[in-house]
């Protein structure tokens, strides 16, 4: 990695370095997507509401998991989907996932969701992914996910009122220190939907915000 400032690093390089240097913790893991993907207090209620939603769909949905990470979450959801397409920008991580997780309805792809064409499907899962991206990159993603019927979006946001969508440099951190968080319905993102429903909310200890999961029906 060269010494160019982080502003100029490609997103792929930034995310690859996060895993290589264990910047989200989990030094005993080969790849670790953070406590938000491993802490049972956070993931168990999340998996319950996701499972309930996916099981309620007839016929089953084709799910695209954007930013699938170490797949500690997605591995529980494949059996409730017609097809489960798991995507991440880190090539070594995707190669690892392909070796570990093999199911007839499961596919892994290494893609940059801000630049590359996304697979066709019915439902997008974006779990604590957008919070690490700049507004410019989020806008690119928003333009693509409007073509899916459902979007299940999870974000780590402040407690109480906050100013949405303060810009950041893509990387390890999120907007919480600026008393901000991602709200795709607000400017400058302006995601257009038909309906919304809160599926879950988890309050983190020591007033470190909350993790909120929203279901959006786009059309």
């Amino acid at each position: 990695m060269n010494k160019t400032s982080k502003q100029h690093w490609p997103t792929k390089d930034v995310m690859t370095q996060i895993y290589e240097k264990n910047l989200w913790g989990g030094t005993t893991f080969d790849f670790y997507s953070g406590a938000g993907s491993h802490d049972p207090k956070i993931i168990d209620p999340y998996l319950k509401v996701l499972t309930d939603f996916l099981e309620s769909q007839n016929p089953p949905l084709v799910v695209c998991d954007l930013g699938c990470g170490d797949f500690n979450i997605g591995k529980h959801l494949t059996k409730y989907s017609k097809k489960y397409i798991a995507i991440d920008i880190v090539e070594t991580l995707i190669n690892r996932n392909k070796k570990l997780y093999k199911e007839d309805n499961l596919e892994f792809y290494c893609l940059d969701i801000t630049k590359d064409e996304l697979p066709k499907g019915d439902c997008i899962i974006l779990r604590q992914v957008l919070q690490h991206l700049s507004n410019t990159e989020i806008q690119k993603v928003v333009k693509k996910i409007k073509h899916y019927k459902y979007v299940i979006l999870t974000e780590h946001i402040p407690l109480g009122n906050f100013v949405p969508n303060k810009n950041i440099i893509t990387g390890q951190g999120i907007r919480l220190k600026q008393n901000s968080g991602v709200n795709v319905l607000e400017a400058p993102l302006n995601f257009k939907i038909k309906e919304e429903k809160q599926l879950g909310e988890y309050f983190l200890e020591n007033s470190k915000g909350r993790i909120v999961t929203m279901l959006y029906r786009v059309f």
Side-chain angles (χ1 to χ4, degrees), residues 13-24 171-172:
D13 291 348
V14 172
M15 295 303 171
T16 299
Q17 187 195 57
I18 287 170
Y19 281 104
E20 287 178 346
K21 296 193 173 183
N22 299 106
L23 298 181
W24 287 330
Q172 173 192 3

Side-chain angles (χ1 to χ4, degrees), residues 30-123:
D30 56 347
F31 290 90
Y32 186 76
S33 294
S37 294
H38 286 266
D39 186 340
K41 297 193 299 293
I42 298 174
I43 68 174
D44 288 353
Y46 174 82
L47 287 171
K48 175 66 168 61
V49 296
L50 265 286
T51 298
D52 287 347
F53 170 72
L54 292 175
E55 280 193 305
S56 72
Q57 301 301 305
N58 188 17
L61 303 178
V62 175
V63 176
C64 295
D65 183 347
L66 307 186
C68 67
D70 61 22
F71 211 56
N72 193 53
I73 298 290
K75 67 184 182 183
H76 299 285
L77 301 173
T78 55
K79 61 185 174 182
Y80 305 109
S81 312
K82 179 179 180 181
K83 181 188 289 185
Y84 200 97
I85 304 170
I87 293 167
D88 205 280
I89 196 171
V90 179
E91 188 171 7
T92 50
L93 177 57
I94 286 294
N95 290 338
R96 172 261 199 188
N97 287 347
K98 285 180 178 179
K99 294 177 182 177
L100 285 180
Y101 304 103
K102 298 179 184 295
E103 297 182 47
D104 290 341
N105 70 331
L106 173 61
E107 298 175 3
F108 287 102
Y109 295 100
C110 181
L111 298 174
D112 182 340
I113 64 173
T114 69
K115 296 178 180 178
D116 297 327
E117 183 178 352
L118 301 180
K120 293 181 179 179
D122 307 302
C123 178

